[in-house]
């Protein structure tokens, strides 16, 4: 009995052990990494699928977010406009107080400094409260009030000499630069730049120094250019360059020659070199930098013509050409090529007279066209067309008065350049465009060759009577026709053949409609026989080709 009870307990224990083992296996399967891997992906895929949709929804929601005009008008532009209104009111208040005897001069100066300090403190408080635009406008408004107060103290009330006034105004400009950088406000920089430019005009001096004035304006420009580059303020970048040129122009209009030309020229060259350096050293290609430099190049050349002699201007332009010829990074290479094109055009204009040097412009137009077609640059193509067409047109409208003359040489260069133009186009374009350039260029070349031959023949036979002139002209036209046909036959260039036939028909029309009254009967018969024979021979050669 006892034995059976022990055996039954053993069976139960064995059964329990099997159940525990099954439970363990189930628990293991449930908690195993494989089980997690199997069940996790659907959830992850679902979440991954949801994420782009949520991102797209957020981005579309950001794009479609309406403009808050209330914020733009009342928080951004309202304080900017009315800060000037307030400053004008303060000036009129000082004037009224002076007129009615309510305030003496020292009190007005003290009050001006107090108001400007109040503006700066209030602006700082508004910025801390998160009202950035209003705060920056108030801080910026403090700068012109400080400068106007200094001006009144020096020029109107004579409470300070020119040296102290200059030092104070320079200090206000430095504060403006510091505030521009500290508050990251371009508006502050613009206000400080405008005020800084006006400082020398607000100071009266019995012995004004040109070196001090021009040096101050140049250093001020460099300072604001540096701030504009570091903070990436495009408006301040352009405005500072414009202000320097405008200030120096006003100064030059008042002072005149009076020994300041060289100083003005040096200031302008320093500015242009600063613009070159800023564009060359910038990590990214900024369009505003590029076009400001291009505009500065044109303005600089105008200044050079005004303040320097021809020799100095030529040397400076040569130096600029060398600088622009140095290749920079790939991203900026096409920009520097543009500057090089313009600088070379100015250099040619400076080096030779237009009548004598127009050939150089034709060559430059071809060179620029080759570069434009090589780098597929539309802007350079426009430059090349402009330079080439203008220079070629100038040559074509200049009459040829003698066979051996400069206009004749210019014509020959234009005709040769058309062939080079066709060659460049064929080399740099797709195969299906080749025939267009061949046919179009050949027609233009033929027409101009006919005009050139006519002008040269007329210049060489102007001492003869009408009959010999007409006869020689007809013979020259026939020669051109034969030459075109021969070229077309030898080079298997059908277009030249067709052009030769076209010139042949033009010669026939000329002979019938114009030449007959001037040619004797015997010569007339000979010309018609020759013309007819040439036509028949050409026709026979066409059959031979077939």
């Amino acid at each position: 009995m006892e034995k059976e009870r022990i055996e039954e307990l053993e069976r139960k224990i064995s059964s329990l052990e099997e159940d525990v083992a099954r439970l363990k296996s189930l628990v293991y399967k449930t908690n195993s990494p494989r089980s997690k891997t199997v069940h996790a992906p659907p959830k992850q895929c679902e979440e991954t699928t949801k994420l782009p949709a949520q991102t797209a929804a957020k981005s579309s929601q950001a794009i479609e977010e309406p403009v808050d005009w209330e914020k733009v008008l009342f928080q951004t532009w309202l304080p900017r406009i009315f800060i000037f209104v307030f400053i004008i009111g303060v000036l009129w208040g000082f004037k009224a107080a002076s007129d009615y005897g309510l305030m003496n001069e020292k009190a007005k100066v003290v009050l001006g400094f107090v108001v400007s300090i109040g503006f700066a403190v209030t602006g700082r408080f508004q910025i801390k409260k998160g009202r950035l635009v209003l705060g920056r406008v108030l801080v910026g408004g403090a700068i012109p009030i400080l400068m106007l107060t200094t001006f009144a103290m020096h020029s109107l009330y004579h409470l300070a000499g020119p040296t102290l006034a200059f030092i104070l105004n320079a200090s206000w400009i430095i504060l403006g630069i510091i505030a521009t950088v500290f508050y990251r406000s371009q508006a502050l920089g613009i206000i400080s730049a405008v005020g800084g430019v006006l400082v020398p005009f607000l100071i009266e001096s019995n012995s004004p120094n040109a070196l001090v004035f021009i040096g101050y304006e140049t250093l001020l420009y460099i300072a604001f250019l540096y701030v504009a580059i570091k903070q990436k303020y495009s408006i301040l970048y352009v405005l500072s360059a414009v202000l320097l040129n405008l200030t120096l122009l006003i100064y030059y209009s008042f002072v005149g020659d009076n020994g300041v030309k060289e100083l003005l020229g040096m200031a302008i060259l320093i500015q242009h070199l600063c613009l070159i350096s800023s564009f060359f050293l910038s990590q990214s290609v900024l369009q505003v930098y590029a076009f400001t430099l291009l505009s500065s190049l044109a303005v600089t050349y105008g200044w050079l013509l005004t303040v320097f002699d021809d020799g100095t201007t030529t040397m400076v332009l040569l130096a600029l050409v060398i600088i622009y010829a140095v290749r920079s990074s790939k991203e900026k290479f096409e920009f520097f090529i543009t500057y090089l094109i313009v600088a070379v055009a100015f250099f040619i204009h400076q080096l030779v007279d237009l009548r004598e040097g127009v050939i150089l412009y034709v060559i430059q137009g071809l060179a620029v066209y080759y570069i434009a077609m090589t780098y597929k640059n539309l802007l350079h193509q426009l430059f090349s067309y402009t330079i080439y067409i203008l220079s070629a047109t100038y040559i074509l409208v200049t009459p040829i008065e003698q066979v051996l003359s400069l206009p004749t040489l210019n014509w020959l260069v234009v005709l040769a350049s058309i062939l080079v133009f066709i060659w460049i186009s064929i080399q740099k374009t797709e195969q299906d465009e080749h025939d267009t350039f061949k046919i179009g260029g050949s027609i233009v070349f033929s027409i101009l060759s006919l005009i050139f031959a006519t002008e040269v023949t007329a210049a060489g036979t102007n001492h003869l009577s009408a009959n010999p002139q007409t006869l020689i002209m007809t013979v020259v036209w026939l020669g051109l026709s034969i030459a075109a046909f021969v070229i077309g036959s030898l080079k298997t260039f059908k277009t030249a053949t067709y052009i030769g036939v076209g010139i042949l028909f033009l010669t026939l029309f000329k002979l019938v409609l114009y030449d007959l009254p001037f040619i004797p009967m015997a010569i007339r018969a000979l010309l018609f026989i020759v013309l007819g024979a040439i036509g028949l021979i050409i026709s026979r050669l066409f059959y031979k080709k077939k």
Side-chain angles (χ1 to χ4, degrees), residues 1 33 63 81 104 147 174 275 503 505:
M1 189 75 180
I63 293 173
I81 294 172
N104 60 27
M147 293 179 60
I174 293 172
L275 290 173
I503 296 175
F505 274 102

Side-chain angles (χ1 to χ4, degrees), residues 113 116 139 142-147 150 153 162-180 192-193 195-196 199-200 203 216 220 224:
F113 285 123
S116 60
V139 173
I143 303 299
I145 294 177
L146 285 170
M147 293 179 60
T150 304
M153 181 176 64
T163 304
L164 178 59
F166 183 83
I167 293 173
L168 288 176
N169 275 320
S171 302
W172 311 146
I173 298 307
I174 293 172
L175 287 176
I177 294 175
I178 294 172
T180 300
S192 302
V199 163
I203 297 173
Y216 165 80
L220 184 73
F224 280 104

Side-chain angles (χ1 to χ4, degrees), residues 50-126:
K50 287 180 181 179
L51 281 175
Q54 292 173 358
T55 306
K58 287 181 180 179
S59 61
S60 63
Q61 187 178 9
I63 293 173
E64 296 174 0
E65 185 177 350
V67 179
D68 189 352
W69 289 107
E70 182 177 334
K71 181 179 180 181
V72 171
L73 294 174
F74 298 130
Q75 295 186 19
T76 302
W77 285 105
L78 199 67
R80 292 177 178 176
I81 294 172
F82 281 92
I83 187 65
F84 292 102
V85 176
F86 184 87
I87 292 173
I88 293 172
V90 170
L91 292 175
W92 286 349
F94 282 176
K95 181 68 168 58
S98 179
D99 291 342
Y100 290 105
L102 301 177
M103 193 180 301
N104 60 27
E105 296 172 348
K106 292 182 180 179
K108 283 187 285 187
V109 170
V110 172
L111 182 60
F113 285 123
V114 170
V115 170
S116 60
I117 294 172
F119 264 55
V121 173
T122 306
R124 174 65 176 165
F125 176 78
Q126 296 297 324

Side-chain angles (χ1 to χ4, degrees), residues 252-266:
Y252 181 64
S253 65
F254 280 106
V255 176
D257 296 345
N258 206 13
V260 300
K261 282 187 173 183
E262 290 75 12
L263 292 175
L264 292 170
M266 290 302 298

